[in-house]
Amino acid sequence: MYPLSGAIIEVTIEADEHELICQHSTDVSHMKNPRDTLHFLLTRGAATRENTDNRLEVQRSNFHDSTTQHDAIAYYLGSLDARSELSEDEAYGLLIDAGVDMIEYEQWRNSFNRRRRANRLLADSKERVRHLGSAIDYAVLTGSCPIDGVKYNPSRRSTDPPEDVVAVAAEWRANSIDANSCYVLAFAALHTKLFEAYDDVRYCEGLAMSSHPARASTHAWVEVDSEVVELLWNWDGPAPSDETIYYGDSIPFDAVIDVTNRRPTHASVLTSDEQYFEMEDVKSVMASRLFG
């Protein structure tokens, strides 16, 4: 049942029997990806499989205290939001056609007010530090930045950008089809002086949770006049919905450029160079450049 080519993002609901619930595939050849198709799988059963070297990411439904399928559905929708061409209505239709009870899911989703979402974001980040040793989460939770001389004081961010800023971002994002990384998009927006008509434009990093409250994401975004402009999530951007939560701080863009110039790929500047160059995907990129 696994696609034989392309890359896979799989979201797994805990269960005894293995079952494919839903699948969507999208063309990513325009992003200069070594695998030209990205497959989104929502499955039920144990996450261990044979011949799954092409899986980019696996999310299990028991990551949170709740072991219901709602977390998995939310994460699956979040993946489609960030990396597919589907609208939210189309994604819901995909799941409904697969037999998923989306009315029940919506009731679960609506049970999260902003306070509960913010609490889940921070609890999720702490879990990643505790169990995965996440350097980015640790930096956000402790207010520490590995860049010498840079102060980093994360806090809840305001999410009400002016309409003209939203219009500029939407037009730019519609033509930025070669990137589905928040770090690439936030960097490019400042590097190309997208918001040069505005006085206060900042590159920011931290944690964020979309309107589908699956988990906190380590994330990058832009702030214009202290208001978040979302450049990755299609359904919650460029003007974030009222349900989204952002927790982080701005980082001087000159410092961001300096770090980026030392690295072969875009990634969080909240990771030190030592931590960055130990990442497996970075090692693969460097090896491909050295040996072809």
Side-chain angles (χ1 to χ4, degrees):
M1 97 94 216
Y2 266 85
L4 298 178
S5 63
I8 293 171
I9 292 177
E10 180 181 1
V11 183
T12 301
I13 300 169
E14 292 298 313
D16 294 332
E17 300 293 330
H18 179 240
E19 175 191 3
L20 172 63
I21 300 172
C22 188
Q23 177 176 337
H24 176 71
S25 301
T26 188
D27 179 13
V28 292
S29 58
H30 55 278
M31 297 182 183
K32 300 178 181 178
N33 195 302
R35 295 178 174 134
D36 59 6
T37 305
L38 182 57
H39 306 282
F40 301 86
L41 305 183
L42 178 62
T43 61
R44 183 179 286 112
T48 301
R49 308 277 189 272
E50 295 180 357
N51 302 321
T52 57
D53 292 340
N54 55 341
R55 283 195 297 181
L56 293 180
E57 188 172 351
V58 179
Q59 173 73 10
R60 299 172 70 91
S61 65
N62 65 350
F63 192 82
H64 296 291
D65 292 337
S66 170
T67 57
T68 68
Q69 68 175 357
H70 299 135
D71 290 315
I73 294 169
Y75 187 78
Y76 187 72
L77 287 167
S79 297
L80 291 172
D81 178 11
R83 302 190 185 190
S84 83
E85 79 292 352
L86 295 180
S87 68
E88 190 170 20
D89 286 343
E90 289 170 333
Y92 268 57
L94 187 72
L95 288 163
I96 290 170
D97 290 344
V100 178
D101 188 341
M102 295 305 289
I103 294 177
E104 184 180 275
Y105 168 76
E106 275 295 298
Q107 292 172 342
W108 173 83
R109 175 187 176 186
N110 292 333
S111 71
F112 285 83
N113 58 25
R114 287 184 63 82
R115 179 184 293 274
R116 189 179 175 194
R117 287 170 179 270
N119 289 341
R120 171 170 257 213
L121 178 143
L122 292 175
D124 200 8
S125 183
K126 291 175 183 177
E127 282 293 300
R128 286 202 295 264
V129 171
R130 184 178 298 114
H131 296 293
L132 304 176
S134 169
I136 303 173
D137 288 283
Y138 180 82
V140 176
L141 292 173
T142 59
S144 56
C145 180
I147 305 173
D148 289 341
V150 172
K151 294 182 179 180
Y152 183 74
N153 299 302
S155 62
R156 285 273 297 273
R157 317 305 287 179
S158 183
T159 56
D160 188 23
E163 290 184 4
D164 55 338
V165 171
V166 173
V168 169
E171 181 179 2
W172 179 80
R173 184 64 183 95
N175 296 311
S176 300
I177 60 171
D178 60 343
N180 61 4
S181 161
C182 59
Y183 300 108
V184 171
L185 291 166
F187 181 89
L190 270 80
H191 194 63
T192 60
K193 302 187 184 302
L194 175 64
F195 301 107
E196 64 180 346
Y198 304 90
D199 293 331
D200 186 8
V201 182
R202 303 187 184 194
Y203 174 95
C204 300
E205 285 195 23
L207 304 172
M209 180 176 287
S210 76
S211 58
H212 294 280
R215 66 168 190 171
S217 298
T218 53
H219 202 53
W221 62 90
V222 171
E223 289 184 7
V224 179
D225 296 336
S226 300
E227 301 290 343
V228 172
V229 181
E230 175 56 52
L231 297 173
L232 177 64
W233 296 333
N234 294 313
W235 310 341
D236 288 317
S241 71
D242 292 339
E243 299 169 298
T244 55
I245 302 291
Y246 291 79
Y247 184 84
D249 196 9
S250 62
I251 300 171
F253 195 55
D254 286 346
V256 175
I257 291 174
D258 183 55
V259 172
T260 301
N261 286 340
R262 299 197 298 266
R263 300 176 173 182
T265 64
H266 284 275
S268 172
V269 299
L270 294 177
T271 57
S272 67
D273 284 345
E274 181 180 7
Q275 292 163 333
Y276 170 82
F277 284 106
E278 285 299 312
M279 296 178 182
E280 291 302 320
D281 57 340
V282 175
K283 291 181 180 177
S284 296
V285 169
M286 295 181 68
S288 65
R289 292 187 179 184
L290 287 172
F291 306 113

